[in-house]
Amino acid sequence: MTDLDLNLLDALDALLSEGSVTGAARKLGLSPSAMSRTLTRLRNATGDPLLVRAGRGLVPTPRAIELRDVVHALVRDVRTVLKPPTGEIDMAELDRVFTIRASEGFVEMFCGPLVAGIASAAPRVRLRFAPKPDKNAEPLRAGEIDLEIGVLGVSAPEMRTRLIFRDRFVGAARTGHPLLSGAITPERYAACRHVAASRRGAFTGPVDAALADLGLSRDTMVVVPGFSDALRIARQSDLIALVPGLGFRRKAPGAEGICTFPLPVPTPEIAVSAIWHPRMDADPAHRWLRETVIGICQKMVPDS
């Protein structure tokens, strides 16, 4: 092990993530010729060509694909080990990009105050809000996502969580909808046609299970990806939407021309949490980020 060169790990990580000598050289601040020589050393060390010519580009070998995630994790862990811990951080000098994964509805409601609060405390921090197509925990594990906002899934038991606020679903209909003219009973609610919001494209949800207990079912005509889409359809038709009630307490975008009402059947409470990987627990900058996000959101929802 006396001839072990940890710099080769960094170079291998760059080569496997970029998929090209030129891209890896640019990422590490080296010349293409120097990176090409490093690739030769890596080939000798691993006994595998790693990247091979395919037309005008390079493609990874099966061994390279097998090593990619392992090498990335090793490089990240080595950097963590060799980086001295700091107890205090100068917020005015903190220069970092944080990626937050959250639903479209959360971004619409909280993004403005979050950006204003973070920019005021740490002007050099940059935020990247990533879409949330599912609850896949791998981006958190891989370090691609710093903080997730949402309902905790069951596939990542090691994740750290902290409750931000609680909410409940409400019904939403256009102003003047016939359903709103009298008592909203389970029977009258089920008799309407509905629009559902589901990232997975599901036609049924918690309200359907509650209706089924009463021997009722609703007619869901349309499924859309997000709650904003469902509200847009409900505002322009006689379809009934099912949306989180918090948006209307906060006058969320898209709420104009819409009336909400308590559902006539019980549905589970929505617990929205901050979620992060345990490797970030002790990181001072990440701790500041999550405390700031949680604090601002809780101030906006004091009665949740």
Side-chain angles (χ1 to χ4, degrees):
M1 298 288 286
T2 56
D3 59 349
L4 179 65
D5 185 355
L6 290 180
N7 288 322
L8 286 178
L9 273 179
D10 208 19
L12 180 57
D13 183 43
L15 284 163
L16 296 182
S17 62
E18 295 294 324
S20 78
V21 172
T22 302
R26 187 184 306 112
K27 185 174 184 178
L28 297 182
L30 300 175
S31 67
S33 58
M35 181 55 68
S36 181
R37 291 193 296 272
T38 301
L39 176 56
T40 299
R41 292 180 61 196
L42 285 165
R43 286 167 170 166
N44 292 333
T46 62
D48 188 271
L50 299 173
L51 296 171
V52 297
R53 182 67 58 186
R56 306 180 74 176
L58 297 175
V59 294
T61 65
R63 176 61 173 159
I65 294 173
E66 179 185 339
L67 289 174
R68 185 159 48 202
D69 290 342
V70 175
V71 170
H72 183 70
L74 282 172
V75 170
R76 182 188 59 226
D77 291 344
V78 167
R79 287 174 177 167
T80 300
V81 169
L82 299 181
K83 181 180 179 181
T86 56
E88 298 291 334
I89 53 176
D90 184 352
M91 300 312 304
E93 296 299 321
L94 179 62
D95 188 355
R96 189 156 161 181
V97 177
F98 291 108
T99 300
I100 301 174
R101 185 169 71 174
S103 68
E104 179 183 346
F106 180 89
V107 173
E108 287 180 349
M109 196 177 309
F110 294 99
C111 183
L114 283 176
V115 169
I118 289 174
S120 175
R124 300 180 66 181
V125 163
R126 290 164 290 168
L127 297 178
R128 178 190 295 115
F129 285 93
K132 186 175 181 179
D134 50 41
K135 295 181 182 180
N136 183 9
E138 288 308 313
L140 282 166
R141 290 174 173 145
E144 299 168 4
I145 302 295
D146 295 294
L147 188 67
E148 177 166 344
I149 308 297
V151 179
L152 183 65
V154 297
S155 61
E158 80 273 23
M159 295 299 167
R160 302 286 191 263
T161 67
R162 182 169 163 190
L163 178 68
I164 304 179
F165 59 82
R166 300 182 187 276
D167 198 5
R168 285 195 178 276
F169 283 114
V170 297
R174 65 170 176 81
T175 303
H177 193 287
L179 178 65
L180 304 175
S181 61
I184 301 176
T185 63
E187 291 77 11
R188 292 187 68 221
Y189 175 78
C192 296
R193 304 190 81 185
H194 297 259
V195 51
S198 171
R199 292 191 301 265
R200 302 184 307 275
F203 277 83
T204 59
V207 72
D208 296 283
L211 288 170
D213 290 340
L214 301 176
L216 300 171
S217 63
R218 61 176 182 156
D219 179 10
T220 299
M221 178 183 176
V222 180
V223 178
V224 291
F227 294 115
S228 297
D229 301 316
L231 287 174
R232 190 175 302 111
I233 291 174
R235 186 169 54 247
Q236 299 175 12
S237 71
D238 278 345
L239 271 63
I240 305 298
L242 184 71
V243 297
L246 177 61
F248 290 88
R249 298 205 301 273
R250 299 297 310 175
K251 297 182 179 179
E256 303 82 4
I258 289 286
C259 294
T260 61
F261 55 88
L263 294 174
V265 291
T267 56
E269 188 178 60
I270 308 168
V272 178
S273 299
I275 307 166
W276 66 95
H277 194 274
R279 81 164 67 89
M280 306 307 295
D281 269 348
D283 181 73
H286 192 279
R287 186 186 306 118
W288 166 82
L289 171 72
R290 60 185 186 253
E291 292 294 336
T292 300
V293 170
I294 293 168
I296 290 175
C297 290
Q298 289 182 338
K299 284 182 181 178
M300 293 179 64
V301 194
D303 57 343
S304 62

